[in-house]
Amino acid sequence: MVMVWRIFNYIKHLFYTRHRHGHGIHSPYLFEFVNAVLFNSLRTEVPEAILKEHRKLRTESAFVRRSSVSMKYGGLLYRISLWFRPEMIVELGAGLGISAMYLSFGQTSTPLHTIEGDRERAAMAEQFLSGSCPGPVFVHRGNMDEKLKDILAILPPRFLAFVDGNHHYEPTLNYVRKLMLRAGDEALIVMDDIYWSKGMQRAWKEIVSWPEVAISIDLFHMGILLLKKDFPKTKIKIKF
Ligand SMILES: C[S@@+](CC[C@H](N)C(=O)[O-])C[C@H]1O[C@@H](n2cnc3c(N)ncnc32)[C@H](O)[C@@H]1O
């Protein structure tokens, strides 16, 4: 039943999408993001070292095949990190560390903090990331309801966050709200699986209506929130 609901929503998404490669977008800032970052007009290549590690873990782990970002969305996370130049990267839901690797390679001198509640996965992510990433990566083991507090205490105003765990309405709203309260003039939050369930869809709809969200980009599998002071509210849906 959930599958039918997702397919229906995907068809609806395709029907409402516009702006492929930035057509019809007038703001230079947003045009650059859509054209260069989303659709990779600059042909930025993901480092081979990442792809090699990703392929290897995919072969070895059913969890990675099922629950980690794909190479396509990993590449997007890499380009977002590269383009946005955050002062810190925070991830909610490390899994085995695949998405964190893409994010960290985008800014190798920026600290990345990721949270994982499953003990075994957290240990594997820590080992994997310390062996594969050139940048400083910290895996916080425990429930994100608790661990997020520690990260918020040191989070600078220009951050990039990837919310990819505990996909339910209430916690998702809470995490994004708490992150937003720390944002300065510009911050960026990526939410995964925004149509994973009715709760997630409700959370996404509600979050994009908040005044702090200047730009929201609905890619169906992911949602991007650009918090940018004084930028007129813009909501777009894109077939990615
Ligand atoms: C979709 S997976 C993350 C995949 C990873 N971001 C990637 O793409 O490689 C979500 C992870 O969030 C973790 N998780 C879910 N709820 C959590 C919670 N309340 N606290 C900490 N971790 C949680 C799960 O254990 C799972 O490993």
Side-chain angles (χ1 to χ4, degrees), residues 24-212:
I25 292 176
H26 304 297
S27 143
Y29 176 86
L30 191 51
F31 180 84
E32 183 189 324
F33 184 80
V34 171
N35 203 35
V37 183
L38 277 183
F39 290 111
N40 198 13
S41 62
L42 305 175
R43 306 243 179 277
T44 305
E45 291 198 11
V46 173
E48 187 51 37
I50 301 185
L51 301 176
K52 201 173 144 210
E53 293 291 344
H54 194 168
R55 274 188 219 110
K56 186 165 170 276
L57 264 198
R58 271 187 70 85
T59 321
E60 292 169 358
S61 159
F63 174 84
V64 168
R65 285 195 293 281
R66 197 182 55 240
S67 304
S68 286
V69 288
S70 63
M71 285 185 172
K72 176 178 168 176
Y73 281 90
L76 175 60
L77 292 177
Y78 168 74
R79 293 193 300 279
I80 290 177
S81 173
L82 194 69
W83 173 80
F84 189 64
R85 296 171 190 246
E87 291 166 329
M88 191 187 278
I89 302 168
V90 43
E91 179 185 64
L92 278 66
L96 299 193
I98 295 289
S99 47
M101 172 176 63
Y102 282 94
L103 289 162
S104 171
F105 262 81
Q107 292 299 325
T108 52
S109 54
T110 297
L112 180 145
H113 291 260
T114 183
I115 309 173
E116 178 50 56
D118 181 276
R119 288 169 72 111
E120 204 180 322
R121 269 177 231 151
M124 286 169 78
E126 195 155 26
Q127 198 186 15
F128 172 70
L129 291 167
S130 63
S132 60
C133 292
V137 175
F138 306 90
V139 178
H140 300 250
R141 301 180 186 202
N143 194 318
M144 41 186 89
D145 295 343
E146 283 303 312
K147 294 291 163 186
L148 183 57
K149 278 186 219 134
D150 303 342
I151 300 174
L152 291 171
I154 52 164
L155 192 66
R158 186 182 179 83
F159 64 82
L160 162 59
F162 181 43
V163 180
D164 188 19
N166 208 1
H167 288 323
H168 301 284
Y169 172 75
E170 204 66 62
T172 301
L173 282 190
N174 273 335
Y175 303 147
V176 176
R177 163 62 66 209
K178 284 179 181 159
L179 286 163
M180 274 185 191
L181 289 172
R182 301 288 308 173
D185 286 349
E186 215 172 337
L188 202 157
I189 301 175
V190 180
M191 291 171 59
D192 203 36
D193 288 327
I194 53 174
Y195 291 91
W196 186 74
S197 63
K198 289 188 181 170
M200 281 301 288
Q201 185 193 27
R202 227 175 104 213
W204 168 254
K205 275 195 170 172
E206 201 164 319
I207 289 166
V208 302
S209 73
W210 291 347
E212 295 89 340

Side-chain angles (χ1 to χ4, degrees), residues 219-238:
L219 303 177
F220 191 77
H221 292 294
M222 270 184 190
I224 299 170
L225 305 167
L226 282 145
L227 316 177
K228 190 168 165 60
K229 287 258 155 65
D230 303 325
F231 195 94
K233 195 158 187 72
T234 310
K235 294 183 193 179
I236 56 177
K237 281 177 189 274
I238 288 184

